[in-house]
Amino acid sequence: MSKKESIWLQGLWVYHFGFAFVFYYYIQQQGGDALRYWALEAEGVENPGHWMGYWGQRTHFVQWLNYIPAKVLGLSFLSGNVMYAAFSFLGIREVDFWMLQMKGTKSWMSWSLMGIFFLPNLHFWSAGVGKEALLLVGLVWALKGFVSLKDHWKVAVLGVLLSFWVRPLQGVVLGGMLGIYFLGQKVIPVKVRLGVGLGMAVLMGLGVWRLLQYMHLEALSFQGLMAFSSGQMDFLKGFGAGSEIPMETYHVFEKGFALFFRPFWGEVDGFWQVAAALENSVGLLLVLGLLAVLPFYFVKKIKFTIPPFLWAGLVFGLVMAVAFAFTLNNLGIIMRMKSTYMLFVYLFYWVGVWGRMERMKEKG
């Protein structure tokens, strides 16, 4: 890395770790699942006196991770936030490296790209005790397979497993995407692709079966999914949160706008919602910018390639957004849930605009 790039990364590190303290302050004032995760009280277990008594998926796994630092070592909740921030920064730093390796980015350090990495929602949720830090790193490790499947397939598999253990849906989606990507690699012999593909299909089947168990569905059906969606919406309504929205009555465009761009100006109340609206405004501007240059993508003389990992990040974000459209009806929870993948969506938009403009300059 150049000196300027190194300074930029260190600044991002300081910014990210600062959010560990911001998150600590917020949870102390507002409360949240993070306190229960650290106190090992979010989910009851049969044998709370032993470490392996907490072993399991989802919340149980988070409590299993927290058992030694919180219960054995007696570290404070603030220490836990700092540790989670340290882990999640591994993923953010990796994405930064990928962007630096793209053609033309050695001359950038443009304020627009720097601004994307400094958007607060990513850092706020991943710098505190909770699932988001684990999900972010799991996602980045899985996407390394789209950077170079030959070099990073072991890390990609680890990322899928970590994602599945923390949030089964994310693991199933990432596993399916990597499986399809693997089968499309023509440089790999057909026999190898078929053999490995069969094994991956079996594992994916087991993953879907485990996901259906979690959803309490006997089989994958439209009626069952709608019943699960209705149950989730009713469950969240029971909390009486101030940012609840009637998601079940929205049409597809309203759902999409709520998932990607709300809370927006005109419905904010307080500092945290203003910060969320500001970030959502940046996302909307990036979308509008991409739509503005989209016609130039059909000009054959001006070609530009968006790297596979950004395509994969966009597809993953869209798939998760569809799932959240039928299970979430609270803007606060939506902001938390989408914090792990929106960086890739924003970067896709940015590269789509920036890359096209750069190529147009080169062509005069």
Side-chain angles (χ1 to χ4, degrees):
M1 300 178 67
S2 68
K3 183 177 180 180
K4 184 167 63 174
E5 292 162 352
S6 179
I7 293 174
W8 137 255
L9 184 59
Q10 296 305 316
L12 186 62
W13 177 84
V14 172
Y15 179 78
H16 180 71
F17 270 77
F19 271 91
F21 298 89
V22 174
F23 185 84
Y24 172 78
Y25 171 79
Y26 175 85
I27 295 297
Q28 293 292 331
Q29 297 295 317
Q30 305 290 332
D33 293 337
L35 287 171
R36 293 186 288 272
Y37 289 149
W38 196 248
L40 311 182
E41 298 173 350
E43 287 262 351
V45 297
E46 295 182 359
N47 193 359
H50 296 275
W51 184 26
M52 293 309 298
Y54 291 90
W55 177 253
Q57 286 182 274
R58 303 170 61 237
T59 299
H60 287 133
F61 181 68
V62 178
Q63 294 183 156
W64 178 81
L65 287 176
N66 294 342
Y67 183 89
I68 291 180
K71 191 168 185 177
V72 177
L73 300 179
L75 298 181
S76 67
F77 176 60
L78 178 59
S79 299
N81 292 328
V82 172
M83 287 191 294
Y84 272 79
F87 184 66
S88 61
F89 188 72
L90 296 176
I92 297 172
R93 183 186 66 171
E94 192 75 41
V95 180
D96 178 59
F97 288 161
W98 296 347
M99 296 302 295
L100 286 176
Q101 293 167 5
M102 288 181 56
K103 181 181 178 182
T105 52
K106 285 296 179 181
S107 61
W108 52 270
M109 283 301 157
S110 68
W111 292 106
S112 58
L113 183 56
M114 291 173 67
I116 291 176
F117 274 95
F118 276 91
L119 290 174
N121 198 47
L122 164 70
H123 301 277
F124 180 83
W125 294 108
S126 66
V129 174
K131 298 176 182 177
E132 280 65 40
L134 306 175
L135 291 169
L136 173 63
V137 175
L139 172 59
V140 172
W141 284 352
L143 292 182
K144 287 191 76 170
F146 294 91
V147 175
S148 175
L149 191 58
K150 178 182 178 181
D151 297 328
H152 304 308
W153 69 270
K154 294 180 181 178
V155 176
V157 170
L158 182 61
V160 171
L161 293 176
L162 175 60
S163 297
F164 182 77
W165 221 248
V166 179
R167 181 170 291 158
L169 177 60
Q170 175 167 320
V172 169
V173 173
L174 289 174
M177 290 172 56
L178 277 169
I180 295 172
Y181 186 68
F182 173 81
L183 293 175
Q185 300 300 300
K186 296 181 180 181
V187 295
I188 301 175
V190 176
K191 292 183 179 180
V192 176
R193 278 186 282 166
L194 291 177
V196 175
L198 180 61
M200 294 177 70
V202 173
L203 292 176
M204 285 298 299
L206 292 174
V208 172
W209 172 75
R210 188 71 182 88
L211 182 61
L212 292 177
Q213 280 190 320
Y214 155 65
M215 297 170 66
H216 302 290
L217 298 179
E218 296 182 358
L220 188 61
S221 65
F222 179 78
Q223 292 79 7
L225 291 175
M226 290 300 100
F228 175 76
S229 172
S230 178
Q232 283 291 106
M233 296 290 188
D234 291 338
F235 173 74
L236 293 177
K237 285 180 181 178
F239 289 97
S243 59
E244 180 184 320
I245 56 176
M247 200 71 160
E248 61 273 18
T249 66
Y250 286 173
H251 57 65
V252 61
F253 295 108
E254 289 177 312
K255 288 179 183 288
F257 191 86
L259 287 166
F260 288 101
F261 308 120
R262 289 183 64 185
F264 206 68
W265 305 110
E267 57 180 344
V268 298
D269 181 22
F271 171 79
W272 303 108
Q273 290 191 4
V274 169
L278 181 61
E279 176 164 335
N280 289 330
S281 299
V282 172
L284 181 59
L285 289 175
L286 287 168
V287 171
L288 295 176
L290 183 59
L291 291 176
V293 301
L294 194 60
F296 295 101
Y297 275 84
F298 299 97
V299 180
K300 295 182 179 180
K301 294 182 180 180
I302 305 177
K303 297 181 179 180
F304 180 74
T305 302
I306 296 178
F309 76 86
L310 283 183
W311 277 107
L314 176 69
V315 171
F316 172 78
L318 293 176
V319 172
M320 295 301 292
V322 170
F324 293 153
F326 293 96
T327 55
L328 302 179
N329 60 0
N330 181 288
L331 292 177
I333 298 177
I334 288 173
M335 288 297 293
R336 175 163 62 90
M337 290 293 192
K338 72 180 185 179
S339 65
T340 56
Y341 61 77
M342 284 305 294
L343 173 64
F344 297 97
V345 177
Y346 293 148
L347 289 176
F348 180 92
Y349 295 153
W350 185 87
V351 170
V353 177
W354 166 81
R356 175 56 55 181
M357 298 301 291
E358 287 296 309
R359 291 295 292 151
M360 290 174 65
K361 289 180 181 178
E362 290 178 8
K363 295 292 183 178

